[in-house]
């Protein structure tokens, strides 16, 4: 059973980002395996990493912002502004914060059971993740 909507809005932004990270990675893995179904797992992983790293998630959120509601933007900003004690070695602080906000929004939508909106935004994210 998922968290109720009232409780979802009270979740810490880092808790939302934690679940959002897993939800988005599963979405990307599914997309990657659809595209490259007959390649070894290590190559599938390399393709997936290109979409889920902080810089790619920063690209994704930049593309998503014009399509987001005020509430979604607020959730994103809560996640972006959350104080985390860790940072990946290969990400700059601005990208890492945007990625945390992105993951918080994905986690919020997932826990709110808004699957249609979640899929819509994750498709925008996936299509815009990689540098062009």
């Amino acid at each position: 059973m998922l968290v109720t909507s009232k409780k979802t809005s009270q979740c810490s932004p880092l808790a939302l980002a934690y679940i959002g990270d897993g939800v988005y990675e599963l979405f990307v893995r599914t997309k990657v395996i659809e595209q490259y179904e007959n390649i070894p797992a290590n190559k599938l992983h390399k393709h997936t990493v290109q979409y889920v790293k902080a810089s790619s998630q920063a690209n994704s959120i930049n593309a998503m912002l014009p399509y987001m509601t005020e509430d979604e933007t607020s959730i994103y900003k809560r996640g972006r502004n959350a104080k985390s004690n860790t940072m990946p070695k290969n990400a700059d602080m601005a990208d890492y914060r945007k990625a945390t906000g992105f993951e918080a929004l994905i986690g919020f939508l997932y826990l709110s059971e808004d699957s249609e909106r979640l899929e819509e935004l994750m498709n925008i994210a996936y299509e815009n993740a990689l540098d062009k």
Side-chain angles (χ1 to χ4, degrees):
M1 178 177 201
L2 295 178
V3 178
T4 65
S5 293
K6 184 176 181 182
K7 289 184 180 178
T8 301
S9 63
Q10 296 171 351
C11 283
S12 80
L14 295 178
L16 293 173
Y18 175 76
I19 192 75
D21 176 58
V23 170
Y24 187 63
E25 180 153 351
L26 182 58
F27 175 82
V28 169
R29 285 180 179 209
T30 302
K31 290 282 205 185
V32 167
I33 205 164
E34 287 171 357
Q35 188 174 0
Y36 305 101
E37 61 187 63
N38 290 321
I39 65 172
N42 66 331
K43 289 187 179 182
L44 291 170
H45 175 73
K46 286 180 182 181
H47 286 290
T48 299
V49 167
Q50 295 305 306
Y51 287 89
V52 299
K53 64 185 179 179
S55 61
S56 294
Q57 289 182 352
N59 291 342
S60 293
I61 196 67
N62 289 336
M64 290 165 53
L65 281 168
Y67 302 99
M68 289 165 42
T69 66
E70 283 184 42
D71 289 342
E72 291 166 349
T73 302
S74 176
I75 295 294
Y76 159 67
K77 287 180 178 179
R78 278 182 51 215
R80 182 195 64 196
N81 296 334
K83 301 295 182 219
S84 174
N85 294 328
T86 62
M87 190 178 110
K89 297 174 195 172
N90 300 322
D92 72 16
M93 184 60 85
D95 284 350
Y96 182 69
R97 288 185 173 272
K98 285 182 177 184
T100 302
F102 167 81
E103 291 171 346
L105 175 59
I106 298 301
F108 177 82
L109 292 171
Y110 173 76
L111 292 174
S112 298
E113 298 180 317
D114 193 349
S115 57
E116 186 175 311
R117 183 65 174 154
L118 175 63
E119 186 169 353
E120 180 182 349
L121 288 178
M122 286 196 303
N123 278 315
I124 293 169
Y126 185 82
E127 291 166 11
N128 292 281
L130 303 180
D131 291 323
K132 306 221 173 183

